[in-house]
Amino acid sequence: MDAYGEALKAYYNGNKKIKIKVECDAAETEYWPLKEFFHEWNDMSLIEQKALQMCKGRVMDVGAGAGSHSLWLQNSGLDVTPIDLSPGAVEVMTERGLNAYHIDFYAAPGYAPLGGKFDTILLLMNGAGIAGTMDNMPRFLMTCKQMLTEGGKVILDSSDLIYLYLDEDGSALIDLDSNYYGELRYKMSYAGKTDEEFPWLFIDYDNLEEIARREGFDCRKVYEDDHYQYLAELSISK
């Protein structure tokens, strides 16, 4: 249905007041203003700004959305290739002057038009979420490894949702028999269209570091804000 892409297109084409309905299995329904997907440097978070300044060489911007991060990189002189699963998002990025591709990240290693490997793989806006689940993290990291040049980096952000489960005394009330507490499911709707529900992972840094090292990556935390959101850099272990 591509409700997400249709909403991006509507905003880009002049409907600046629209919002997209976002349903989550662990939170109340929200209505996101589309202007947040078109923000420029001065409106970006410190995590976004730090991540963009860390990008080097040839960059793949994964889940690039409306292309705001890619545009900043391109205007800074970097060779950037944005990709997204949403046809509408790719259409918007193309109209904004980006060489964007409609492709699943997990199909990227065999997709010739991308032109080979990248020096930086960038995943922002809780970008680690593309892994979907904890069980899929090894596949996600393997795909990154296949797409990286020697000495390349993965730059991503995520959030530790443990704060949602903290009691007044500071202890965490988590059901250890259920799935990992950062595994959520989302669904987006706009103008009578509803996208298929999809999984999204919010992974705490300790788990990210442990899994990354197990899969052959060095991992370091670059920055963490006051709201449990952090920026991390991964590189293939030598």
Side-chain angles (χ1 to χ4, degrees):
M1 296 290 286
D2 198 23
Y4 169 63
E6 291 300 315
L8 291 178
K9 287 166 58 178
Y11 182 92
Y12 181 72
N13 289 321
N15 189 348
K16 304 302 184 184
K17 295 183 179 181
I18 65 171
K19 297 181 179 181
I20 189 168
K21 179 181 179 181
V22 181
E23 298 174 83
C24 175
D25 64 349
E28 294 182 358
T29 296
E30 297 181 327
Y31 292 84
W32 292 356
L34 270 294
K35 66 179 182 180
E36 296 180 7
F37 296 93
F38 291 84
H39 59 329
E40 298 184 1
W41 177 260
N42 289 337
D43 296 317
M44 292 182 188
S45 68
L46 186 56
I47 281 181
E48 291 172 276
Q49 293 177 346
K50 285 180 176 291
L52 291 173
Q53 291 172 327
M54 291 168 60
C55 292
K56 304 294 183 183
R58 188 164 184 254
V59 183
M60 176 193 286
D61 183 4
V62 182
S68 295
H69 299 133
S70 287
L71 279 172
W72 187 89
L73 292 170
Q74 181 170 278
N75 292 337
S76 298
L78 274 73
D79 179 4
V80 58
T81 300
I83 68 171
D84 205 286
L85 265 179
S86 162
V90 172
E91 184 177 332
V92 168
M93 287 191 282
T94 300
E95 292 186 15
R96 297 182 82 189
L98 292 163
N99 186 25
Y101 291 89
H102 174 220
I103 185 174
D104 186 334
F105 172 65
Y106 295 100
Y111 190 62
L114 292 179
K117 298 186 177 184
F118 294 82
D119 303 299
T120 306
I121 296 177
L122 177 68
L123 303 104
L124 284 179
M125 311 299 279
N126 282 298
I130 195 172
T133 64
M134 292 291 276
D135 287 344
N136 197 53
M137 277 296 296
R139 180 188 177 214
F140 163 69
L141 292 171
M142 178 58 68
T143 305
C144 290
K145 189 178 291 186
Q146 291 174 322
M147 293 304 299
L148 282 175
T149 59
E150 184 177 353
K153 309 283 187 180
V154 179
I155 300 171
L156 58 79
D157 67 333
S158 193
S159 300
D160 185 354
L161 298 188
I162 192 66
Y163 69 91
L164 296 175
Y165 303 92
L166 292 178
D167 202 355
E168 293 182 358
D169 63 1
S171 61
L173 303 176
I174 297 174
D175 183 358
L176 298 179
D177 293 325
S178 64
N179 293 339
Y180 173 67
Y181 62 83
E183 293 181 1
L184 305 185
R185 299 192 68 83
Y186 283 91
K187 185 166 55 177
M188 295 185 175
S189 303
Y190 167 72
K193 296 182 178 181
T194 300
D195 288 339
E196 183 178 349
E197 185 180 65
F198 60 92
W200 200 254
L201 177 65
F202 295 82
I203 183 171
D204 66 279
Y205 179 76
D206 289 343
N207 266 304
L208 173 65
E209 183 179 36
E210 178 182 348
I211 298 172
R213 292 192 184 283
R214 201 161 61 224
E215 298 301 323
F217 283 87
D218 293 325
C219 183
R220 73 180 183 97
K221 185 189 294 183
V222 177
Y223 174 78
E224 184 172 10
D225 66 16
D226 296 330
H227 304 286
Y228 297 87
Q229 186 172 11
Y230 64 87
L231 178 66
E233 177 188 77
L234 287 72
S235 57
I236 299 173
S237 301
K238 296 181 179 180

